[in-house]
Amino acid sequence: MGCCGSSEQKQREWKPLEDRSCTDIPWLIIFTLFCIGMACIAGFSISTGAASRLISGYDSYGNTCGQKNGKIEGVELSGRDQTNNKYVFFLDPCNIDILNRKIKSMALCVSRCPDIELKTYTDVKKFALQNGSELCSYDIPVSKYPSHGERSKKCPKLPVPPSNSLPVFHRCTPVDISCYAQFAEAFVTFVSDNSMLHRVIAGVMASKEIIMGLCVLALVLSIILMVVIRYISVVLVWILTALVVLGSIGGTGVLWWLYVDHRTNLTDQTGTSPTPQQQVAADNVQALLVYAIFATVFTVILLLLLFFMRKRVALTITLFHVAGKVFTHLPLLALQPFWTFLSLMLFWVSWLGVLLFLGTAGSPVQSEEAGLVEYRMSGPLQYMVWYHAVGLIWISQFILACQQMTVAGAVVTYYFTRNKSELPMTPIVSSMLCLTRYHLGTVAKGSFIITLVEIPRLILTYIHNQLKGKENACARCMLKSCICCLWCLKKCLMYLNQNAYTATAINSTSFCTSARDAFAILVENALRVATINTVGDFVLFLGKVLIVSCTAFVGVLSLNYQRDYTVWVLPLLIVCLFSWLVAHCFLSVFEIVVDVLFLCFAVDTKHNDGSPGREFYMDKALMVRGREAG
């Protein structure tokens, strides 16, 4: 089950796609038991009545609206029959507690939300008599609404705004949400008056069609870029390389020119007694000399690296070209981000729903200040929440790992099939079926390793945010250092996991054996790996920037054409954020394909030499570049 318990022999021939067997079965059992625990938590929260309290809502005396209720000890107005009162009405709906994320107001179960504005308590009384919906506390008779001594505490705050009930969650929500603008303004630092906030919100609502159109444009551009990279990868990479070289040489030349110019001016003034200005000029000359020397050393090292690694850069270009051919033969790879995103969204929504159920599954507690009832978690429920939080990380990583394994399996099948006409009709579907049948345990184990690193990183990040402004400089530096180290460790493990999944897809070995074999291959090709990761990642990063820039440019033109949209900031931010996410999702799949192709190429070159019986599997162009870069 562990890494040291691997039963495969250390020296072993790579035999791509020759046989399949189940891997890491104990970890599949552990993950299945963990998921059963998650399902038990969801069932417990629903069976204890938390679901009905969350959906139907409850009043400040512990009564769930729309049903009969049991008596709560010590709460006089609990245990009421609220079958006919299906809606939750807040006496002051705009009094929001930002820190605790709740409405600081008494809540009542009513039979109807007030659909008109009620300006006086007499209007509140008339509404109750006409509609049978009592908007004051249950212990106040309707006839005494205008004159009762506690009406300021137990009756709604005047004027009562017109409200409607939410479609599923039966809460009376004000029709005019302007009262929430005061709450929202605390988060909008660039807003100085209410009119600006209203214009921003109005701009987003008015330009929603343009926002949706631009999001679709980002999606189309991402797909087009993945196809175009195949044909312009050579020109693109060498242009970028030339720009980097010219920029380095030009920057170094400018620094030396500034150094000579400042030194000449300083020499012309040496006959006079030194002044503070001359001392500053001397310091600038020394700084420019240091900068110029550093830039010169950097440029020389860069030029030497490019000279000695030029063939490996050509290998990276060829890998990009072959990756484009993979997408031509396996077009369903482009749809993989959709399924992953959909799976993550469904899981996150269900996870959030169970979390909300747990939040209302606690015991009723009456506050000492106002005497109102709240449901608070205590004891085992708190441990359930922690278990549920770990499930969020592990299952999310599991879904992402399934995408990596599925892509790896499809690309491995493509690479190690000599006659491409003999490929399965849908290699991506075959890869998914193979993952489901043989390798779910491997994916569970790899995702658990990432979870072990992610949990302490998130805990330290939470502690850092909670102590912001309170901790000393040393503690702040230590926290940030630990967070940064864990982040770097996570990135390294994710890269190693990806290659382990590829090795599993090739040879059907367990996670630890695959990780060991993949790591050995990567170490043998360290320079190639460094080149592919630096050049390839930089090209893909520029591709993401290109998609965001094009989408933002079209967005500016579209919003400029519609002159009614006076505030563009928020719509453009939404569009740019979404376009970056879309580009990242699609190009990350392209990056996975390149990494898988390289590992397949490294395995191919190590165990084959082109002789009869040991023919290469690789593409002819890749074969030529591989020999040059060898």
Side-chain angles (χ1 to χ4, degrees), residues 324-390:
K325 294 175 66 176
V326 171
F327 279 93
T328 303
H329 286 85
L330 311 178
L332 289 181
L333 278 178
L335 299 179
Q336 192 61 33
F338 287 108
W339 304 119
T340 303
F341 179 75
L342 181 61
S343 301
L344 285 173
M345 288 302 299
L346 291 175
F347 169 67
W348 289 342
V349 169
S350 62
W351 183 90
L352 182 60
V354 174
L355 182 65
L356 294 175
F357 290 159
L358 285 175
T360 54
S363 302
V365 177
Q366 189 174 17
S367 62
E368 298 179 357
E369 300 177 358
L372 305 180
V373 174
E374 295 179 354
Y375 287 88
R376 297 179 183 175
M377 293 182 294
S378 61
L381 282 176
Q382 294 179 339
Y383 296 108
M384 288 185 183
V385 172
W386 283 106
Y387 187 98
H388 197 58
V390 173

Side-chain angles (χ1 to χ4, degrees), residues 27-302:
W27 278 97
L28 176 59
I29 296 174
I30 293 173
F31 182 73
T32 302
L33 293 175
F34 183 86
C35 292
I36 292 175
M38 294 281 289
C40 291
I41 290 177
F44 170 80
S45 62
I46 295 174
S47 62
T48 53
S52 60
R53 282 196 292 270
L54 176 65
I55 297 175
S56 301
Y58 59 93
D59 63 18
S60 297
Y61 303 108
N63 301 300
T64 302
C65 299
Q67 67 180 41
K68 294 182 179 180
N69 297 274
K71 184 72 175 178
I72 300 176
E73 185 178 355
V75 182
E76 182 179 354
L77 295 177
S78 63
R80 296 174 63 90
D81 184 0
Q82 303 285 14
T83 305
N84 297 323
N85 299 324
K86 299 180 180 180
Y87 305 100
V88 181
F89 173 74
F90 296 97
L91 302 188
D92 188 5
C94 296
N95 187 8
I96 300 176
D97 185 353
I98 298 176
L99 296 178
N100 295 320
R101 299 175 296 277
K102 64 180 182 180
I103 299 177
K104 294 177 61 176
S105 169
M106 177 183 289
L108 301 172
C109 295
V110 298
S111 60
R112 180 179 174 181
C113 299
D115 52 359
I116 58 173
E117 184 179 21
L118 307 176
K119 299 181 179 180
T120 65
Y121 289 113
T122 302
D123 294 337
V124 175
K125 175 184 175 181
K126 291 180 180 179
F127 179 81
L129 293 174
Q130 293 175 359
N131 301 282
S133 186
E134 301 178 6
L135 303 183
C136 291
S137 181
Y138 310 133
D139 56 348
I140 300 180
V142 176
S143 59
K144 294 186 178 181
Y145 279 5
S147 59
H148 199 278
E150 293 185 307
R151 66 176 184 269
S152 60
K153 297 180 180 179
K154 296 186 177 183
C155 287
K157 180 181 179 182
L158 297 177
V160 180
S163 59
N164 290 326
S165 62
L166 296 176
V168 178
F169 301 93
H170 299 162
R171 272 73 168 176
C172 295
T173 306
V175 176
D176 183 7
I177 61 172
S178 60
C179 65
Y180 295 124
Q182 300 174 359
F183 158 72
E185 285 172 7
F187 298 97
V188 187
T189 55
F190 62 87
V191 175
S192 58
D193 60 339
N194 291 338
S195 60
M196 172 63 75
L197 178 63
H198 294 320
R199 290 202 304 271
V200 169
I201 296 176
V204 173
M205 297 304 297
S207 58
K208 57 183 181 295
E209 293 84 2
I210 291 180
I211 293 176
M212 293 298 296
L214 293 174
C215 292
V216 174
L217 174 64
L219 182 64
V220 174
L221 289 176
S222 300
I223 297 176
I224 293 175
L225 182 62
M226 292 172 64
V227 178
V228 169
I229 285 179
R230 171 187 174 184
Y231 299 100
I232 67 168
S233 54
V234 177
V235 177
L236 180 63
V237 173
W238 286 120
I239 287 178
L240 293 175
T241 303
L243 290 176
V244 171
V245 170
L246 292 176
S248 300
I249 296 176
T252 303
V254 170
L255 286 173
W256 281 113
W257 175 75
L258 290 174
Y259 166 72
V260 172
D261 184 62
H262 281 71
R263 185 179 180 182
T264 302
N265 293 334
L266 184 63
T267 304
D268 295 339
Q269 301 175 5
T270 53
T272 61
S273 59
T275 62
Q277 290 78 7
Q278 291 177 350
Q279 186 62 41
V280 172
D283 293 339
N284 289 336
V285 169
Q286 292 295 325
L288 285 171
L289 177 61
V290 173
Y291 295 154
I293 293 175
F294 176 80
T296 302
V297 172
F298 173 79
T299 303
V300 171
I301 294 175
L302 178 64

